Amino acid sequence: MLRSSSSPLREENLLSGAKMTTVSLASPCVVKVAIANRFTSAIIKTPTSLGCAKSISKSFGLKCSSSYGTSMAMYKVKLVGPNGEVNEFEAPDNKNILESAEEAGVELPFCCRAGSCSICASKVVSGTVDQSDGIYLDEAQMDSGYMLTCVSYPRSDCEIHTHKELDLYSPSQ
């Protein structure tokens, strides 16, 4: 929801059938954006005189550049490796965990980058991820917390234990 006391909202139907709402914000402002899923995002255009949008966006877990930017939720991801090594970084909700880890300098196993193998299998210990793009894991494995980092997107702060491919095939799974 976008609100501005000085400007009316303007809605447009785009050729793709999507709706776009435009509003001109005047300082001081309050910006609230509800992002339904990773296929939608809020684009905030802020004039240089409007310094509040960046700080407000950050307080809602969104990122916004000073001119144009795509706002996205950011989550803290904690990866625990097979020998107990811990790596923590922030990951946006529109980038899979493997890509975010690589950008943070963390090396993880991978092969297909499409969710069709088990090389990057990991296990979510806390938090939630969206792995609807994956095709390799079955429902029982996902219900047990297993995930593929190449097609999993953070949906909250999370802790993930990596290098779990062999655990997928052990009888005590």
Side-chain angles (χ1 to χ4, degrees):
M1 172 195 329
L2 295 174
R3 285 193 180 187
S4 173
S5 59
S6 63
S7 301
L9 293 173
R10 189 180 85 196
E11 284 196 2
E12 298 176 43
N13 287 321
L14 303 177
L15 292 176
S16 65
K19 278 190 173 183
M20 179 176 79
T21 303
T22 307
V23 64
S24 297
L25 301 174
S27 190
C29 65
V30 174
V31 179
K32 286 187 179 180
V33 180
I35 300 174
N37 60 42
R38 71 182 178 88
F39 299 109
T40 61
S41 64
I43 297 178
I44 300 173
K45 180 180 180 183
T46 58
T48 55
S49 62
L50 182 60
C52 66
K54 188 169 187 176
S55 61
I56 290 171
S57 294
K58 193 170 185 177
S59 68
F60 286 106
L62 304 173
K63 280 202 165 184
C64 179
S65 71
S66 60
S67 55
Y68 262 114
T70 300
S71 297
M72 66 201 90
M74 295 293 288
Y75 300 108
K76 291 186 190 312
V77 175
K78 178 180 181 179
L79 299 180
V80 180
N83 298 319
E85 61 277 11
V86 174
N87 291 285
E88 293 185 41
F89 54 90
E90 284 195 348
D93 66 349
N94 66 349
K95 189 173 287 188
N96 67 54
I97 292 169
L98 176 61
E99 289 175 352
S100 295
E102 288 174 332
E103 287 181 5
V106 180
E107 289 186 25
L108 292 175
F110 69 91
C111 183
C112 70
R113 291 188 179 266
S116 59
C117 74
S118 62
I119 300 295
C120 65
S122 297
K123 192 166 188 177
V124 179
V125 175
S126 66
T128 56
V129 298
D130 171 13
Q131 56 179 327
S132 56
D133 292 344
I135 58 173
Y136 187 82
L137 298 179
D138 62 33
E139 288 297 319
Q141 291 168 324
M142 289 186 287
D143 290 344
S144 296
Y146 288 99
M147 57 164 280
L148 302 174
T149 59
C150 69
V151 291
S152 295
Y153 299 82
R155 293 297 176 251
S156 70
D157 292 348
C158 50
E159 180 177 334
I160 299 166
H161 290 195
T162 62
H163 298 76
K164 295 294 182 183
E165 181 183 26
L166 295 178
D167 293 358
L168 286 174
Y169 308 109
S170 69
S172 64
Q173 182 204 121

